[in-house]
């Protein structure tokens, strides 16, 4: 079917009432995708609290007028919504046409019966997101993903109706099996052909087939074709080769419908002896969990935003993404296919037991099958997707009923897709929270861990707080036989046992369950080296997914370093905290120290890395959560701290590292695996040059240098793309930095930066990675954080030039231009 964007010129208003022909508030014209939540005013009394970073939800109305020509009478017209958060109700010309409670599902609305031909028509989408709280992280609100209009003949290929698999792969040949679902909305018998053509990445035809079909009125038929591709180029992370499949319906030699899909030729294998293999090669998953928001532009899902995240994550060494905890966008799947990134796509954060008062658990029983099918149909042809996760830390999995639900979901998935593996991401702590007192008492009875009295630590029922409270006893708890017993059945239902924060069981379960393949589906950043050591050592352990690779809005302050020592605040940050502050990469795409540490642990970097703990807190005690990293940045610019003590971390895989300040050695210290890839130095701050030198067998293997920023503050603008498409939705990311005249980043001179955007584009978002800022993302003025702030510019749908100008106190104005073609 002809697919065209339906994103332009919607009207948006606050409030949602299907019975009123008038908007509840003033209408404004917007272009999708659109996140209404990011435009709301944060407040300390927000019912969503830290879960969404104190952003409230709301009810919203989206409307659009479109003309339906006479020829639509003999066409099939369908609207595709890639994601609406949440409780979307769709009306066409005032009549109810469809709905979708789940805020992350791709869904379709057939429009034919509602259309007025040769007239203007109205489509209206009501979004009901005012029941709070309904999630444990920032969700966004409204039509935050693309809307498409699909137009086809009465005889057409069903939406998501082409399924491509590669069941037989040899070195010189691959069999491509293609199933095409054809629908007919007419009333007379139709004869024709399904023609399928495969092209390689260079546009060369490598295989084709033509199959005759006879279709009767109102019938749906499935056509299966097997094509051979000679000398196939396989898809992998290192070499993500893609093929294009063109599927056509021919009637009297005329093309009446055509669909284009890309796919990859790759073979998946899984066993305890070799672990995960792709194309016969063992692959260890260097994984990250990520949430779905795109930082300063909120939850709005632009193709370039998703692509940029995948690019940066891969550059940082990751080879796998677990989208947490909802189905991944089509745009990110496409990016993972092109760039070479493996995907664990996930269904739900809850089943029939809600985790928030008004979350999807209220709809799960009636909707899980259709939402599961929507995810599979979205994912089916994407080679990047290697496994499905059917849930995250679902509390009922520890019961017989929960294990039965897991089995039912797995059976449903296997009828939809037999080509991928299935995992359930289980948290052993959550499974035994009602028995933690019993477990702690058993430790005390055996005089283990000094656990004579833990009752005061068990007052909370919030899982993240509980895990941080008992972090020192975590491995002992997850190793307890009760944990093994209550998770045994649910893990027996899936291909891969997903262990959230259960690394203490990795090796013991190899003996207890010799046929169990395990994946660390969620782990603490502080345990990077320990977990990776276990992954390398054990074939049944296929990878580790850290929480988290990219910082996000919501779960505010979960990774903070708290110097107030106020335990009543818990692990979350009070208002105005709004970022989790626990990602390897900050919300603007800048790598933080943990990212470089991880790269070294993985063996992908042999140059040492310097992270300096903020000297103003040298004497301070700090309270951390289980997700906190040290409060450090890679900077040697600390005005006001001259002559004061400072602590410096050097990450390295070398045997030892030396630290020098202005040419004078501070000393040498062991590094490498035996020292957890980290050396800590105490010295005093002296402006100038800080150097870390790595040594192996007494010979230098690499060095890193930090220079103190000097006077002469300047603004530096760097854009990631110089040319944008005139699509109305292409993006350019402009990183604005404060530097000295030599280009050294000045991390200690933060100030407000104002920007203007002129010409063929608009400002989509503007903000820093400051986790406690009171500023918003849609103003034209933002304060830098550690010397940086990010502007995101969106192209118009006409060609021209965009000029971005930035000004700040004490700095000369700087401009940059971008072409829109």
């Amino acid at each position: 079917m002809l697919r065209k964007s339906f994103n332009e010129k919607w009207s948006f208003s606050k409030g949602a009432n299907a019975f009123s022909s008038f908007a509840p508030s003033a209408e404004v014209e917007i272009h999708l995708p659109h996140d209404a939540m990011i435009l709301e005013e944060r407040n300390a009394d927000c019912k969503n609290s830290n879960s969404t970073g104190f952003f409230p939800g709301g009810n919203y109305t989206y409307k659009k007028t479109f003309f339906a020509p006479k020829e639509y009478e003999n066409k099939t017209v369908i609207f595709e919504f890639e994601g609406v958060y949440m409780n979307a109700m769709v009306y066409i010309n005032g009549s109810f046409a469809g709905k979708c409670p789940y805020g992350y599902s791709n869904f379709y609305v057939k429009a034919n019966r509602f259309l007025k031909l040769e007239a203007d028509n109205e489509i209206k989408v009501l979004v009901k997101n005012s029941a709070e709280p309904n999630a444990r992280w920032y969700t966004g609100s409204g039509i935050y993903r693309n809307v498409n209009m699909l137009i086809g003949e009465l005889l057409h290929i069903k939406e998501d109706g082409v399924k491509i698999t590669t069941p037989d792969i040899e070195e010189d040949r691959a069999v491509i099996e293609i199933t095409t679902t054809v629908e007919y909305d007419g009333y007379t018998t139709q004869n024709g052909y399904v023609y399928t053509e495969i092209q390689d990445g260079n546009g060369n035809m490598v295989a084709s087939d033509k199959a005759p079909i006879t279709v009767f009125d109102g019938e749906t038929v499935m056509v299966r074709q097997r094509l051979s591709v000679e000398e196939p180029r396989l898809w992998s992370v290192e070499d993500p080769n893609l093929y294009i499949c063109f599927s056509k319906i021919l009637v009297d030699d005329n093309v009446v419908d055509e669909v284009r899909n890309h796919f990859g030729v790759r073979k998946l294998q899984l066993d305890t002896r070799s672990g995960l293999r792709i194309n016969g090669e063992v692959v260890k998953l260097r994984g990250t969990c990520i949430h779905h928001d795109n930082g300063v532009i909120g939850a709005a899902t632009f193709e370039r935003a998703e692509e940029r995240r995948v690019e940066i994550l891969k550059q940082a060494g990751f080879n796998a993404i677990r989208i947490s905890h909802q189905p991944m966008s089509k745009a990110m799947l496409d990016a993972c296919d092109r760039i070479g990134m493996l995907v664990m796509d996930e269904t739900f954060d809850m089943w029939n037991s809600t985790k928030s008062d008004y979350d999807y658990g209220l709809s799960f029983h009636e909707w899980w099958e259709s939402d599961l099918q929507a995810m599979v149909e979205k994912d089916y042809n994407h080679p990047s997707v290697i496994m499905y996760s059917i849930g995250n830390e679902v509390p009922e999995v520890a019961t017989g009923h929960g294990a039965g639900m897991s089995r039912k979901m797995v059976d449903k998935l296997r009828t939809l897709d037999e080509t991928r593996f299935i995992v359930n991401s289980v948290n052993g702590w959550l499974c035994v929270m009602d028995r933690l007192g019993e477990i702690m008492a058993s430790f005390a009875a055996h005089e283990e861990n000094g656990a004579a009295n833990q009752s005061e630590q068990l007052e909370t029922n919030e899982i993240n707080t509980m895990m941080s409270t008992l972090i020192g006893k975590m491995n002992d708890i997850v190793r307890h036989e009760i944990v093994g017993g209550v998770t045994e059945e649910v893990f027996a239902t899936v291909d891969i046992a997903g262990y959230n924060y259960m690394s203490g069981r990795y090796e013991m379960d190899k003996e207890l369950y010799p046929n169990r393949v395990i994946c660390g589906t969620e782990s603490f950043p502080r345990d990077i080296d320990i977990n990776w050591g276990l992954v390398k050592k054990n074939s049944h352990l296929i990878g580790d997914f850290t929480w988290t690779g990219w910082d996000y809005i919501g779960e505010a302050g979960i990774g903070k370093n708290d110097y107030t020592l106020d335990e009543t605040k818990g692990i979350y940050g009070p208002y105005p905290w709004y970022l989790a502050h626990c990602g390897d990469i900050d919300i603007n795409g800048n790598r933080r120290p943990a990212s470089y540490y991880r790269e070294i642990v993985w063996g992908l970097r042999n140059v040492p890395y310097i992270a300096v703990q903020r000297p103003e807190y040298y004497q301070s005690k700090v309270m951390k959560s289980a997700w906190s990293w040290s409060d450090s940045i890679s900077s040697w610019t600390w005005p006001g701290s001259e002559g004061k003590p400072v602590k410096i971390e050097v990450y390295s895989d070398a045997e030892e590292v030396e630290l020098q300040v202005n040419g004078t050695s501070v000393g040498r210290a062991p590094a490498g695996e035996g020292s957890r890839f980290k050396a800590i130095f105490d010295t005093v701050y002296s402006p100038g040059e800080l150097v870390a030198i790595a040594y192996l067998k007494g010979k230098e293997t690499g060095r890193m240098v930090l220079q103190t920023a000097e006077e002469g503050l300047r603004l530096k603008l760097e854009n990631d793309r110089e040319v944008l498409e005139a699509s109305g939705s292409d993006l350019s990311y402009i990183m604005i930095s404060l530097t000295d005249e030599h280009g050294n980043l000045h991390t200690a001179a933060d100030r407000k930066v104002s920007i203007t955007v002129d010409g063929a584009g608009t400002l989509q978002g503007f903000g820093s990675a400051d986790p406690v800022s009171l500023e918003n993302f849609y103003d034209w003025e933002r304060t830098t954080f550690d010397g940086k702030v990010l502007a995101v510019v969106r192209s118009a749908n006409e060609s021209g030039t965009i000029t971005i100008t930035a000004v700040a106190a004490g700095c000369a104005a700087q401009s940059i231009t971008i072409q829109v073609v």
Side-chain angles (χ1 to χ4, degrees), residues 390 406 410 414 422-424 489-498:
I390 59 174
S406 179
V410 169
R414 285 177 176 148
I422 303 172
V423 60
N424 199 333
E489 185 176 1
V490 69
F491 284 142
T493 68
V494 293
D495 303 309
I496 301 168

Side-chain angles (χ1 to χ4, degrees), residues 5-13 27-36 38-39 61-64 141-147 297 299-303 726-731 760-764 794-798:
S5 174
F6 205 65
N7 286 341
E8 293 296 310
K9 296 184 178 180
W10 287 73
S11 68
F12 166 79
S13 57
E27 294 184 355
V28 295
E29 184 176 283
I30 56 98
H31 305 291
L32 304 179
H34 178 261
D35 180 7
I38 207 71
L39 302 175
T61 299
Y62 294 82
K63 294 192 300 183
K64 178 169 177 170
S141 292
I143 310 179
Y144 68 98
R145 291 180 181 169
N146 293 326
V147 177
I297 64 173
T301 305
F302 291 85
E303 281 75 4
S727 61
S729 60
D730 205 359
L731 302 180
T762 58
L763 180 67
Q764 185 65 33
R794 178 178 184 172
S795 69
N797 53 15
E798 296 180 357

Side-chain angles (χ1 to χ4, degrees), residues 444-458:
H446 293 86
E447 298 181 348
E448 296 180 9
N449 307 303
N453 183 7
Q454 297 291 335
S455 59
E456 73 280 1
Q457 293 182 311
L458 304 179

Side-chain angles (χ1 to χ4, degrees), residues 164-181:
I164 307 168
T165 59
T166 55
D168 187 0
I169 303 172
E170 297 179 3
E171 187 173 345
D172 62 345
R173 179 189 58 86
V175 173
I176 315 300
E177 189 169 278
I178 303 167
T179 302
T180 305
T181 302

Side-chain angles (χ1 to χ4, degrees), residues 661-714:
V661 177
N662 296 326
T664 301
S665 178
V666 174
R668 293 193 180 197
E673 188 170 4
S675 298
R676 301 195 65 181
F677 301 95
K678 186 185 299 184
I680 308 293
F681 296 89
D682 277 279
T683 185
V684 295
Y685 174 61
S686 177
E689 183 179 76
L690 182 67
V691 182
I693 307 170
Y695 295 98
L696 181 64
K697 300 185 185 305
K699 294 184 178 180
E700 180 180 333
T701 59
R703 65 172 57 200
M704 179 178 178
V705 180
L706 292 179
Q707 297 280 356
T708 301
E710 300 177 1
E711 296 181 356
L713 199 63
R714 297 183 177 184

